[in-house]
Amino acid sequence: MQTERRDRPTWLEIDLSAIQHNFTVARQAVSPKVKIFPVIKANGYGLGAWPIAQRLMEAGADGFCVALVKEAEPLRRAGVTLPMVLLSGLTPGMEEAVVGLQLQPFVFDRHTLPALNRAVGAGRPLPLFLKINTGMGRLGLAITEVEAAITELQPLTGLQLAGLVSHLSCADEPNHPENDRQRHRLHQVLTETGLTTSFVSLANSAALLSRAETHFSWVRPGIMLYGASPFFPTNTGRTIGLRPVVRWLTRILQLSALSAGESVGYSRTFIAQRPSRIAILPVGYADGYNRLLGNQAQVLVAGHRVPVVGRVSMDMIAIDVTELPQVSVGQLVTLLGSEGEEHIDVEEMAAWRGTIPYEVLCNVGERVPRYYVG
Ligand SMILES: *Cc1c(COP(=O)(O)O)cnc(C)c1O
């Protein structure tokens, strides 16, 4: 399959059938009556929200979660009619857009309710969620404010309470006692307000996969759909039955011979200890190939692992192919993904640069073209 532009021999290949498989894993992990709202914020974790949304609609997604109005807009324009939830909440000034795009916001500040109600006017009541801080210590109403918020909602006829939502701080550690503490606080709110669990969402990927008691009425998986493990670094997506979604590919731009003592790149951080063959690749930190990967990462060439040497530049990196005399200019190089029997998973790249798989995916630069297979 042709998945490459001649003017940019560095690209991402995104396997939509793998995303579909990972959605099926989520579907099988929850009871059939639990709704699944895939999280496609940050342009689908960097991979392209619209093609992914399209495939997930076919696969049976019940709605979507985005972070920003700006992310929802192109999806609505492209034809996503499913419910769309706004995770980062409602801030003053976005009411018109929220109503216009029919987004269901997470409300974390009850003082924002009247303006939203005015924006709805005589239109169809807008569903919204009260976002509650049960222990994440980030966005949310305090538990003690929830009853007041519900009381304030009652006369606002343009608004409809669609449920309560909260977020777990330690879901990636399934046995962490904070998971139960947060869940109990949520149950306490339900008891106090007389609402039922059919109103609640709590689970991200980690909770979805590890704790059925967090599923409630709808779940919000993100990272697992993109093939990476939410339990990083304990395991990888591959080892928990998810299929890798991304391959990040490039081609050798130039080959050169170095004598012992000659160096590669800025600040001479790599000095050849032997006569060496160095290949230059057209990818750099402006593409999201992080600078911390210099002298740290490996890539796959002809199915073999070889090291990245020297600093990562803005547009280029160097690899040491001394051990592979047969390589040539234009040859395919795999930065992420599998080649033959070998693979570099997003978890491994995250570990090399001291981050999490989420950030590796989100950081792939806009100038790297995305192609879709499967
Ligand atoms: C991003 C996000 C999610 C998805 O989390 P994953 O760990 O990627 O599954 C779920 N809920 C909220 C509120 C989020 O911000």
Side-chain angles (χ1 to χ4, degrees):
M1 172 172 267
Q2 181 65 27
T3 59
E4 185 179 351
R5 274 172 61 152
R6 290 189 178 206
D7 64 348
R8 188 75 227 268
T10 296
W11 68 101
L12 277 192
E13 193 180 274
I14 294 135
D15 184 350
L16 294 173
S17 66
I19 291 184
Q20 186 165 355
H21 167 87
N22 298 336
F23 179 84
T24 306
V25 172
R27 186 71 270 172
Q28 284 165 354
V30 302
S31 139
K33 62 180 194 300
V34 173
K35 292 195 160 71
I36 303 182
F37 280 46
V39 180
I40 53 172
K41 62 190 176 188
N43 194 28
Y45 290 39
L47 304 184
W50 166 238
I52 291 168
Q54 254 179 314
R55 180 57 66 97
L56 290 172
M57 286 190 286
E58 287 166 25
D62 298 292
F64 291 108
C65 301
V66 295
L68 311 177
V69 168
K70 192 169 180 280
E71 294 167 355
E73 218 160 37
L75 293 168
R76 281 283 186 246
R77 229 184 300 121
V80 176
T81 54
L82 289 179
M84 226 186 287
V85 163
L86 199 54
L87 298 176
S88 294
L90 179 73
T91 46
M94 64 164 73
E95 297 85 0
E96 297 293 334
V98 165
V99 174
L101 295 166
Q102 286 293 298
L103 306 180
Q104 307 185 2
F106 279 18
V107 170
F108 60 90
D109 175 354
R110 58 198 170 88
H111 301 109
T112 60
L113 292 170
L116 185 62
N117 186 60
R118 280 194 297 278
V120 175
R124 177 151 50 105
L126 186 79
L128 61 82
F129 296 90
L130 294 180
K131 167 93 182 223
I132 303 163
N133 175 23
T134 56
M136 177 67 175
R138 211 173 55 178
L139 214 53
L141 295 158
I143 286 179
T144 50
E145 280 183 290
V146 181
E147 277 198 274
I150 291 175
T151 306
E152 282 172 25
L153 264 171
Q154 255 136 34
L156 305 179
T157 53
L159 305 180
Q160 177 214 332
L161 180 61
L164 306 183
V165 292
S166 194
H167 198 49
L168 293 166
S169 57
C170 302
D172 58 330
E173 298 171 68
N175 296 320
H176 198 293
E178 184 63 9
N179 291 311
D180 277 333
R181 287 199 288 261
Q182 285 195 249
R183 192 167 52 83
H184 288 138
R185 285 180 204 124
L186 200 52
H187 276 293
Q188 180 196 327
V189 174
L190 289 173
T191 307
E192 285 167 5
T193 55
L195 298 173
T196 68
T197 53
S198 68
F199 263 95
V200 173
S201 174
L202 181 60
N204 57 4
S205 298
L208 186 162
L209 288 170
S210 63
R211 299 175 73 91
E213 69 276 18
T214 64
H215 294 173
F216 293 101
S217 68
W218 61 281
V219 293
R220 317 184 298 261
I223 194 72
M224 67 173 292
L225 302 176
Y226 306 103
S229 170
F231 308 111
F232 177 79
T234 306
N235 51 34
T236 68
R238 217 180 267 273
T239 60
I240 59 170
L242 302 173
R243 270 174 55 193
V245 167
V246 187
R247 293 179 76 207
W248 192 356
L249 303 163
T250 188
R251 290 191 183 279
I252 294 175
L253 199 57
Q254 189 180 27
L255 283 162
S256 56
L258 252 59
S259 310
E262 288 188 299
S263 66
V264 173
Y266 287 117
S267 307
R268 307 193 74 219
T269 64
F270 175 82
I271 296 177
Q273 301 299 307
R274 56 177 180 178
S276 302
R277 202 151 172 256
I278 300 297
I280 305 302
L281 308 179
V283 61
Y285 62 76
D287 299 300
Y289 202 87
N290 194 277
R291 270 184 91 250
L292 296 173
L293 295 169
N295 289 317
Q296 190 69 41
Q298 297 173 339
V299 302
L300 304 178
V301 185
H304 298 277
R305 281 173 178 259
V306 299
V308 172
V309 294
R311 289 255 163 99
V312 171
S313 302
M314 189 184 291
D315 314 299
M316 276 174 264
I317 59 173
I319 58 175
D320 184 345
V321 292
T322 312
E323 309 283 345
L324 302 173
Q326 75 281 17
V327 304
S328 56
V329 167
Q331 184 156 346
L332 192 73
V333 177
T334 300
L335 306 170
L336 200 58
S338 25
E339 191 178 305
E341 300 293 295
E342 266 292 359
H343 52 80
I344 293 171
D345 288 334
V346 64
E347 289 90 350
E348 188 174 14
M349 185 173 279
W352 283 331
R353 61 179 253 205
T355 186
I356 53 175
Y358 300 72
E359 194 183 17
V360 169
L361 295 179
C362 288
N363 279 6
V364 177
E366 248 176 76
R367 70 181 195 176
V368 178
R370 273 79 167 155
Y371 298 103
Y372 299 90
V373 300

